[in-house]
Each structure stands twice: as structure tokens, then as C-alpha cells.
Amino acid sequence: MAMNPAGHLAEAVPMQGRYDGLPGQPGAATVVQYTTVNINSEPPKDHIIWSLCCFVYSNPCCLGLAALIFSIKARDRKVVGDLEGARHYASTARCLNIWSTVLASIMILISFIVIIVVSVQAHNAVRTYHSYNYNSRWNN
């Protein structure tokens, strides 16, 4: 194997079959095909941990479940050796995880805001009620 400047490995792979030389020449010639393998490409990430967290902790509109399914498909494609299919499924899982995380964060933020606003209004209502009762007792 030899490495070219682009970071690829070139390996000689014998072709299947046989090539018979020109008539009158003895023996057969072997044809060699050179293929390049990119050693810099990493297998795609399947985002399985992120998908599990989104499935367990934040699953709005079942996005966490869908992300988990696509992560498992990406892992299966990676194990089989179909890196392009694994990249496609991993990209979809990543997108679903992002949406799930953003929607869950927005829902948590809105919940905190609602709790704070209701608490402040309840406190003000109780304070107003007590001051009204206190003033009405002494004015009679």
C-alpha cells in the first residue's frame, strides 16, 4: 500500500477472471486495479446517548422516540459498513434531537415563567385581601 499526498491509501487488488494474452504469446497476464481508500474519514456519530436522554427526559411530540429509532438505524448501518446510510440516519437523528431539546427547553422555560407569575399574583391577591379586611374592621 502506498499513500498519496491527499491522504488516501492506494492498494492493489487483483481483478477477478483471467486475461489471455495476444495470440502466440504464452501464459496469461494479471490485471491489477488500484482503489483508493480515504483514511481521514471517520465513521459517523450515531448520537445514541443524546437520543436516549431526549427519549427519557424530554420527549415532546415523540421526537425523542423518533431520534432513538434513527440512532439505532445509524448504528446498524455503521456496523454493516454502509457509511453513507449511517451518515443519513445519524443526520436525521441529530436534527430530531435538536428539535426535541429545543422544544423541551422552551416548555420548561414557559413553565417556570407561569409558576413565577402565578405565585406573584397569588401573593399580591392575598396581601390585598388581608389589607382590605384589616382596614374594614377598624373603619366600622
Side-chain angles (χ1 to χ4, degrees):
M1 284 191 219
M3 184 174 299
N4 64 13
H8 292 57
L9 288 179
E11 60 182 56
V13 180
M15 297 279 290
Q16 296 293 327
R18 217 179 116 134
Y19 171 75
D20 291 327
L22 295 173
Q25 291 183 347
T30 302
V31 178
V32 176
Q33 176 186 9
Y34 286 97
T35 60
T36 59
V37 178
N38 191 354
I39 62 171
N40 296 330
S41 68
E42 296 178 5
K45 295 181 180 179
D46 52 18
H47 306 289
I48 193 81
I49 302 297
W50 190 9
S51 297
L52 280 170
C53 290
C54 286
F55 176 65
V56 172
Y57 297 114
S58 63
N59 197 10
C61 304
C62 293
L63 290 175
L65 175 63
L68 182 62
I69 290 170
F70 278 99
S71 293
I72 292 170
K73 285 183 177 184
R75 181 166 281 191
D76 289 345
R77 292 283 92 201
K78 189 167 51 171
V79 168
V80 171
D82 179 16
L83 295 183
E84 191 58 38
R87 277 189 196 90
H88 174 71
Y89 285 128
S91 173
T92 304
R94 181 174 179 258
C95 183
L96 290 170
N97 281 326
I98 289 171
W99 275 105
S100 177
T101 303
V102 167
L103 287 176
S105 300
I106 289 172
M107 289 187 330
I108 290 170
L109 183 67
I110 288 173
S111 297
F112 279 141
I113 291 171
V114 167
I115 289 170
I116 290 171
V117 167
V118 167
S119 298
V120 168
Q121 286 182 349
H123 182 265
N124 287 340
V126 168
R127 201 170 72 196
T128 303
Y129 177 75
H130 284 299
S131 70
Y132 175 73
N133 280 343
Y134 180 76
N135 290 334
S136 65
R137 273 192 229 165
W138 294 106
N139 289 336
N140 287 335

